[in-house]
Amino acid sequence: MQDRVIGVGVIGCGEIAQLMHLPYLQELPAFRIAALCDISPGTVDKIGEHYSVAARYSDHRALLADPNIDAVVICTYDHGGMVADAIRAGKHLIVEKPLAFTPQEARPLVEQAERSGLVALVGYMKFYDPGYEIGLERIAAIGRPKSIHVHDFAGRFDRYGKLYTQTRIADVSADLLAAGRNAVAKRIEAALGPDHAGYRDLYHLLLSLGSHDLAVMRGAFGAPSGVVHARQTGPNQLLAVLDYDGVPCLLDVALAQYEWWDEWIHVHGEREEVRIDFQNPYFRNASAIVRVREAIGETASERVIPGIPDTAFRREWQHFADCILAGAKPRTPLSGGLADLDLAVQIIQAMPPKKVLAAAAPTTA
């Protein structure tokens, strides 16, 4: 059983597939790239040539019917329906975050995955970051925190492109792409309700940039007991105060054009502080850095604990193989993705009402 090689179908051959998933699938001996799928025929052919993959599809359902596929990684824009199809086809899966765009879409997926017995992971790669693992140990040693701060202002997303060779072929209709995004927007508005549908784009930010922060916060502290306060503090910025059984947690998420990566968790205890500084997720072999401030006798001491130089995406795939081949317990099951969607909706619905602005009526001459 341990000698089995897992045939993986890659659904969606865009940026994250090209930069992270495909290189590690090619490198790790537990896997082979068995098939590729993308709505861009030019992209799937170019990537297929590069990785010498003959099985190429434009419809994910055709890929799922391929008997050479044992598992899939879903890297498309809209994930929920493909997760359901993969489970129905009996394929193990990793789905990039978010699990789906709304809790209503995600809840049945969790139930279906649990009934199927398949290995189904949400691609929360930060859970596999060596520095995050060290940080969790230090946070647990604090005991009950006095306060928690989770911060993500990210940084520039146009700098790392020069580090990699990417294939970008514009052979998909702009109208087709727009129709898909508009359909998602309508589903999000329905999930938020008419009084909060005006926060649709902010919710989308929380699911894209902020979803990893919701996940690592849950990994460290579990689910909060409630949302005390939430506000939109800028066009692409939100602030929320969460309650962890009397311990306040400040969550602030925004897009900033920094030349550095600005994402961290800072936990204050009674006698010790722990901070986990995450690295740019597109940098390979760069894990989170843990900073500890503590007392040594009657004086203060500060330590920096660098993470092991490994890549979280690579470790995620190694864990996936362990789950399939050795029965390891999944660290990022679909249930966690659902919990994060539920919290994201709670945060938005704790904000003041904001309805969708009605479209302006056409003028007449």
Side-chain angles (χ1 to χ4, degrees), residues 172-254:
V172 179
S173 162
D175 290 342
L176 178 64
L177 296 176
R181 293 180 183 274
N182 289 339
V184 166
K186 294 300 182 185
R187 281 153 40 201
I188 289 175
E189 290 174 5
L192 297 179
D195 289 341
H196 293 85
Y199 292 111
R200 177 196 67 206
D201 293 342
L202 193 66
Y203 174 82
H204 198 285
L205 176 72
L206 194 52
L207 295 194
S208 53
L209 177 64
S211 63
H212 286 298
D213 305 296
L214 298 180
V216 297
M217 184 168 62
R218 172 174 48 80
F221 310 109
S225 32
V227 179
V228 178
H229 170 84
R231 287 293 185 275
Q232 180 171 7
T233 49
N236 293 296
Q237 184 173 352
L238 66 86
L239 179 145
V241 179
L242 313 177
D243 175 35
Y244 281 91
D245 295 324
V247 177
C249 173
L250 178 67
L251 170 69
D252 54 340
V253 177

Side-chain angles (χ1 to χ4, degrees), residues 6 15 20 31 67 90 101 104 106 147 176 194 269 276 320 324 332 348:
I6 303 164
E15 183 171 85
M20 291 295 167
F31 301 102
F101 279 112
Q104 294 89 339
S147 72
L176 178 64
I276 305 173
F320 189 52
I324 295 172
T332 53
I348 295 299

Side-chain angles (χ1 to χ4, degrees), residues 307-355:
I308 298 168
D310 201 349
T311 303
F313 285 96
R314 182 175 182 272
R315 289 163 64 95
E316 176 182 54
W317 278 107
Q318 290 174 315
H319 174 70
F320 189 52
D322 286 342
C323 291
I324 295 172
L325 301 176
K329 182 180 179 180
R331 294 180 60 185
T332 53
L334 302 195
S335 57
L338 172 59
D340 298 336
L341 287 166
D342 280 332
L343 179 56
V345 171
Q346 290 172 37
I347 289 171
I348 295 299
Q349 291 184 339
M351 295 182 178
K354 183 180 180 181
K355 299 179 183 292

Side-chain angles (χ1 to χ4, degrees), residues 122-136:
V122 181
Y124 287 137
M125 83 290 179
K126 285 186 169 63
F127 269 62
Y128 307 94
D129 186 308
Y132 176 65
E133 293 173 349
I134 293 169
L136 288 185

Side-chain angles (χ1 to χ4, degrees), residues 77-113:
Y77 176 69
D78 192 357
H79 304 150
M82 294 185 182
V83 172
D85 290 343
I87 295 170
R88 193 177 303 112
K91 311 298 184 183
H92 304 292
L93 67 98
I94 295 178
V95 54
E96 272 296 339
K97 52 79 183 171
L99 168 57
F101 279 112
T102 71
Q104 294 89 339
E105 297 164 9
R107 192 159 284 109
L109 301 178
V110 175
E111 298 167 356
Q112 292 162 19

Side-chain angles (χ1 to χ4, degrees), residues 155-157 159-160 260-261 278-284 286:
R156 293 190 61 153
F157 282 92
R159 296 300 195 207
Y160 60 83
W260 57 93
W261 193 256
F278 292 101
Q279 302 288 334
N280 188 314
Y282 293 104
F283 290 175
R284 295 178 186 163

